[in-house]
Amino acid sequence: MVDLKRIRHEPELFREAIRLKGVRLDLDEVLALDEEVQGLKKQLQEVQTERNQIAKRVPKAPPEERPLLVARGKALAEEAKGLEEALREKEARLWELLLQVPLPPWPGAPVGPDDSANVEIKRVGTPPEFPFPPLDHVSLLEKNGWWEPRVSQVSGSRTYALRGDLALYELALLRFAMDFMVKKGFTPLTLPSYAREKAFIGTGHFPAARDQVWPIAGTDLYLTGTAEVVLNALHSGEILRHEELPKRYAGYAPAFRSEAGSFGKDVRGLMRVHQFHKVEQYVLTEASLEASDRAFQELLENAEEILRLLELPYRLLEVSTGDMGPGKWRQVDLEVFVPSEGRYRETHSCSALLDWQARRADLRYRDPEGKVQYAYTLNNTALATPRILVMLLENHQLPDGRVRVPEALVPYVGKEVLEPCG
């Protein structure tokens, strides 16, 4: 959510943001509704002022004037009730519209309607050249008995169950990521996989991406697709001390996504599943571009270092205005090479959102001058499975179908090569 005062003072800036980010929103409706709300508030204040004046006059008025004053007071009470009802309706609608107003993107963002306008920043590592016919990750799973195909009969499509060394490898990867983040000074948290609607509104997943989220029947809870949802709500309603910032969290939680609209995409294997596991980086900073930029680079460098330790070839993409989402100031995606597809696929998404989430989630702190400010928020993946397994299996496969374990993971796995499961 953006500052309404800023929308009033810089409407053209937000018209341009709406255009650049492809948001379906009429800013004139927002501004007109804001004027209505301000008008209703003024009318209500005037009515309440007159009611208060009459209430003070009644006891002192001559007996013959009191009935008229009482009648006028009752009429004003009815008028105030009607104005309050109208105001509640208008404010609710204004809130709905304000939730849709996008944050203007940073000046360096590529301009374009979708991911086709994303710009490659750099590449690190070289895609492997195999002296043997390489297998895709599904063939490697089947050859080594590393997954349980019966699970789809139990849990439906887009599910997975790993077996043997690969099951242990997945757990090792998650612990590796948490240990890595702790070494970088982040506080580790294990978190629930569900939250109330307010938390999803706070991150911006609602209302825009409501179709990607599964409700839990009979409750006011929804399954989360990232630990960011819970992390972003932890300090909601508090006023933090400036000395406490930045807050740096590494949150782990199983994650769930309905994959609505993805029919026919990546239906084979581990690339796009309903349930996955994710270690998320999250930072809450003071309200300055300098602090946000520092945190952004930190989150980005953490992700790059993880990919280098996993010995995977990757690239960085500066995400375009039409692909970054309404709440993003800046977004850089990291993609890892998938040999069987001959292309790079996203594994991390590093985002700076300035105060867009903080205003929605009520994340505040008191600055050194004693003024209460909205904080800035940032997030990036640390590691998510099973998607990263696609890249690890395919890039590190051996001629006999086994898979090499990156050196940094050997202490966690206890072996240098993943063996077939009998």
Side-chain angles (χ1 to χ4, degrees):
M1 171 177 279
V2 298
D3 187 352
L4 181 55
K5 293 179 181 178
R6 193 179 175 202
I7 298 175
R8 293 171 188 157
H9 295 150
E10 301 177 276
E12 294 310 314
L13 177 67
F14 291 95
R15 291 186 205 280
E16 181 67 359
I18 288 169
R19 185 188 70 81
L20 290 175
K21 292 192 171 182
V23 176
R24 298 183 65 181
L25 179 67
D26 183 356
L27 193 66
D28 288 334
E29 183 182 356
V30 177
L31 295 169
L33 198 53
D34 177 42
E35 286 187 7
E36 287 186 60
V37 167
Q38 297 308 309
L40 286 169
K41 286 181 177 179
K42 183 179 179 182
Q43 290 178 54
L44 183 58
Q45 181 61 48
E46 291 171 350
V47 169
Q48 290 173 335
T49 299
E50 186 178 351
R51 281 185 69 197
N52 291 336
Q53 291 171 346
I54 288 174
K56 291 177 182 179
R57 286 174 57 192
V58 169
K60 301 177 182 179
E64 64 273 14
E65 292 182 12
R66 290 177 187 174
L68 289 175
L69 290 173
V70 171
R72 176 59 179 161
K74 289 181 178 179
L76 289 170
E78 286 300 312
E79 185 177 354
K81 182 180 178 181
L83 288 170
E84 287 170 348
E85 290 178 358
L87 182 59
R88 279 195 297 270
E89 291 178 5
K90 296 293 184 180
E91 284 183 326
R93 176 57 181 160
L94 180 59
W95 173 260
E96 290 176 1
L97 293 177
L98 287 175
L99 290 177
Q100 301 174 49
V101 178
L103 184 72
W106 79 298
V111 175
D114 50 37
D115 60 0
S116 65
N118 295 347
V119 175
E120 184 175 308
I121 302 172
K122 69 174 181 180
R123 294 192 182 196
V124 176
T126 304
E129 295 183 5
F130 299 102
F132 56 87
L135 302 177
D136 67 16
H137 79 280
V138 175
S139 298
L140 289 166
L141 291 169
E142 293 171 344
K143 181 180 178 67
N144 291 286
W146 282 337
W147 75 348
E148 176 50 71
R150 299 177 187 86
V151 73
S152 62
Q153 301 171 24
V154 179
S155 303
S157 62
R158 294 192 187 276
T159 57
Y160 76 102
L162 303 180
R163 303 173 75 245
D165 278 1
L166 198 60
L168 299 177
Y169 194 30
E170 181 179 40
L171 296 175
L173 282 162
L174 295 167
R175 181 55 192 266
F176 156 77
M178 288 294 271
D179 286 351
F180 177 92
M181 296 309 303
V182 170
K183 291 175 184 176
K184 295 297 181 178
F186 284 62
T187 300
L189 294 95
T190 58
L191 299 165
S193 298
Y194 46 85
R196 294 190 172 96
E197 182 178 42
K198 184 179 179 181
F200 288 87
I201 293 172
T203 55
H205 289 90
F206 287 0
R210 188 179 286 269
D211 64 341
Q212 292 294 325
V213 178
W214 273 330
I216 301 177
T219 75
D220 62 347
L221 301 169
Y222 298 80
L223 294 175
T224 57
T226 169
E228 175 198 350
V229 176
V230 176
L231 291 170
N232 191 64
L234 287 182
H235 297 287
S236 179
E238 300 177 23
I239 299 179
L240 300 171
R241 291 179 292 109
H242 183 262
E243 296 76 22
E244 296 180 72
L245 302 179
K247 292 282 189 183
R248 294 142 91 210
Y249 293 129
Y252 162 75
F256 299 84
R257 195 166 294 167
S258 72
E259 295 294 349
S262 65
F263 181 77
K265 295 180 181 178
D266 299 318
V267 294
R268 185 171 176 268
L270 303 175
M271 188 65 74
R272 195 186 295 270
V273 291
H274 286 312
Q275 178 185 341
F276 50 103
H277 299 269
K278 190 177 182 186
V279 176
E280 181 77 3
Q281 306 180 68
Y282 176 87
V283 178
L284 191 71
T285 77
E286 64 179 285
S288 78
L289 283 177
E290 292 78 11
S292 179
D293 288 346
R294 284 196 302 271
F296 189 87
Q297 290 304 317
E298 179 183 20
L299 296 182
L300 194 59
E301 288 168 7
N302 287 343
E304 285 200 71
E305 187 173 346
I306 285 172
L307 290 178
R308 288 196 298 270
L309 288 170
L310 296 180
E311 301 172 26
L312 293 171
Y314 67 92
R315 68 175 184 173
L316 270 62
L317 295 177
E318 191 73 57
V319 175
S320 71
T321 56
D323 191 37
M324 67 169 54
K328 309 292 180 67
W329 163 251
R330 185 184 181 191
Q331 179 178 335
V332 170
D333 283 354
L334 291 86
E335 297 184 341
V336 175
F337 188 75
V338 180
S340 65
E341 298 182 6
R343 60 170 173 152
Y344 292 82
R345 300 293 299 269
E346 179 196 329
T347 56
H348 298 72
S349 188
C350 188
S351 303
L353 299 100
L354 304 190
D355 62 354
W356 192 81
Q357 284 184 333
R359 289 180 178 277
R360 301 165 77 101
D362 193 23
L363 303 172
R364 297 173 296 164
Y365 71 99
R366 195 177 302 277
D367 70 18
E369 287 72 44
K371 184 179 179 181
V372 175
Q373 306 268 17
Y374 284 104
Y376 282 6
T377 64
L378 305 95
N379 63 80
N380 187 12
T381 314
L383 185 144
T385 66
R387 176 170 285 210
I388 198 70
L389 289 172
V390 173
M391 294 78 171
L392 287 165
L393 293 176
E394 292 198 13
N395 281 282
H396 297 155
Q397 62 182 292
L398 300 171
D400 59 3
R402 295 181 303 159
V403 173
R404 179 177 63 83
V405 176
E407 184 178 347
L409 269 294
V410 171
Y412 291 89
V413 181
K415 55 179 64 178
E416 297 181 354
V417 176
L418 301 181
E419 300 289 347
C421 181

